[in-house]
Amino acid sequence: MNYELTIIVPLYNEEENLLRVEEELKKYLKIALKKTCVLFVNDGSSDNSLKLVEEICRKNTDFHFISFEENQGLSAAIKAGFDYSKTPLTGYIDSDLQTDPEDFNLLLKEIGEYALVTGVRTDRKDSFVKNLSSKIANGIRRSFTHDGMDDTGCPLKVIKTDYAKRIPMFKGLHRFLPAMIMLQNGKTKQVPVRHYPRIAGKAKFHLMNRLVGPLLDCFAYLWMKKKYINYNVTKRDE
């Protein structure tokens, strides 16, 4: 189908959201700036999510899925999406639809010279505690990575797939995508996007794993940065 963009949709126990996800993504595919397909990554859901995803993909030729045997976490789901993406660009959006698929076009307009363009949520509709913990976590991460990003947790991103496939993977990866691109000497940019309250399903992150997890992951990032191998081949024997 000559797709140019694959949108990864990681999900874990999101049966209440999936039909809305289907409708919103179908609407986006009609106005997308690039020929786009959707890849659901079912992270070992224990509810009815997999059955719904299978039905959605049967009805829509631009929708596909992979499913884990058991729950592995968000970073693993994103990693699998990168691994299975076959298009030059790969996007990412959460299945809670707190960001708008239409805003992918805002990111696509900027992707040209950049390896990654990420959304930054404006006028966030989360609780005070969630907003505060995210702000603290972002501050901790910036102090370690110097990535200049205000909102790496924003679940709306577009990344050039060749960069995505070279990212060394570990749990907590989703917080460090811009920093991982910078290790490859790739350029990153953030663009304001809309944000909405969660209207169905349950949030998978809480105060402790928004603060303690990012702090521990920062030390893992520093170790990786010190050991990271990056090279560019300038000439080869054909």
Side-chain angles (χ1 to χ4, degrees), residues 87-185:
T87 53
L89 298 172
T90 301
Y92 157 53
I93 190 170
D94 273 354
S95 52
D96 59 18
L97 285 185
Q98 287 193 255
T99 49
D100 195 323
E102 289 188 9
D103 286 348
F104 273 119
N105 282 350
L106 298 177
L107 309 187
L108 289 170
K109 288 177 181 178
E110 304 294 333
I111 193 66
E113 65 181 291
Y114 296 96
L116 176 145
V117 180
T118 181
V120 54
R121 292 166 286 189
T122 58
D123 190 23
R124 286 186 62 170
K125 305 300 183 183
D126 291 322
S127 67
F128 172 79
V129 171
K130 185 174 181 180
N131 283 334
L132 179 61
S133 62
S134 293
K135 185 172 291 188
I136 293 171
N138 274 303
I140 293 170
R141 189 211 66 259
R142 274 198 308 273
S143 69
F144 278 79
T145 65
H146 305 290
D147 61 10
M149 296 288 109
D150 298 314
D151 186 17
T152 59
C154 178
L156 196 77
K157 294 177 170 63
V158 171
I159 180 171
K160 290 179 178 175
T161 305
D162 57 342
Y163 282 86
K165 290 182 182 294
R166 292 197 300 267
I167 292 175
M169 308 301 292
F170 61 93
K171 290 184 178 180
L173 160 78
H174 57 280
R175 304 182 183 103
F176 290 86
L177 288 177
M180 292 299 179
I181 294 301
M182 291 170 64
L183 286 182
Q184 300 181 50
N185 298 321

Side-chain angles (χ1 to χ4, degrees), residues 3-38:
Y3 293 116
E4 300 172 275
L5 169 68
T6 299
I7 296 177
I8 303 168
V9 187
L11 61 108
Y12 175 64
N13 292 348
E14 292 285 0
E15 62 180 351
E16 297 176 37
N17 279 313
L18 285 174
L19 294 181
R20 189 165 64 96
V21 171
E22 176 190 13
E23 291 306 312
E24 291 301 316
L25 286 172
K26 282 170 61 178
K27 287 195 295 185
Y28 173 67
L29 295 187
K30 295 177 181 178
I31 63 167
L33 295 181
K34 305 283 186 181
K35 179 67 174 174
T36 301
C37 62
V38 175

Side-chain angles (χ1 to χ4, degrees), residues 8-96:
I8 303 168
V9 187
L11 61 108
Y12 175 64
N13 292 348
E14 292 285 0
E15 62 180 351
E16 297 176 37
N17 279 313
L18 285 174
L19 294 181
R20 189 165 64 96
V21 171
E22 176 190 13
E23 291 306 312
E24 291 301 316
L25 286 172
K26 282 170 61 178
K27 287 195 295 185
Y28 173 67
L29 295 187
K30 295 177 181 178
I31 63 167
L33 295 181
K34 305 283 186 181
K35 179 67 174 174
T36 301
C37 62
V38 175
L39 177 63
F40 289 108
V41 182
N42 176 45
D43 185 18
S45 296
S46 57
D47 64 358
N48 202 40
S49 293
L50 178 56
K51 182 178 179 181
L52 286 172
V53 164
E54 289 175 327
E55 292 174 355
I56 290 169
C57 293
R58 276 196 295 267
K59 292 186 298 180
N60 300 280
T61 58
D62 296 323
F63 286 63
H64 310 277
F65 78 93
I66 56 176
S67 183
F68 291 171
E69 182 178 6
E70 57 186 22
N71 180 245
Q72 298 291 332
L74 179 58
S75 293
I78 294 173
K79 152 86 169 149
F82 290 164
D83 289 345
Y84 279 80
S85 177
K86 299 177 181 178
T87 53
L89 298 172
T90 301
Y92 157 53
I93 190 170
D94 273 354
S95 52
D96 59 18

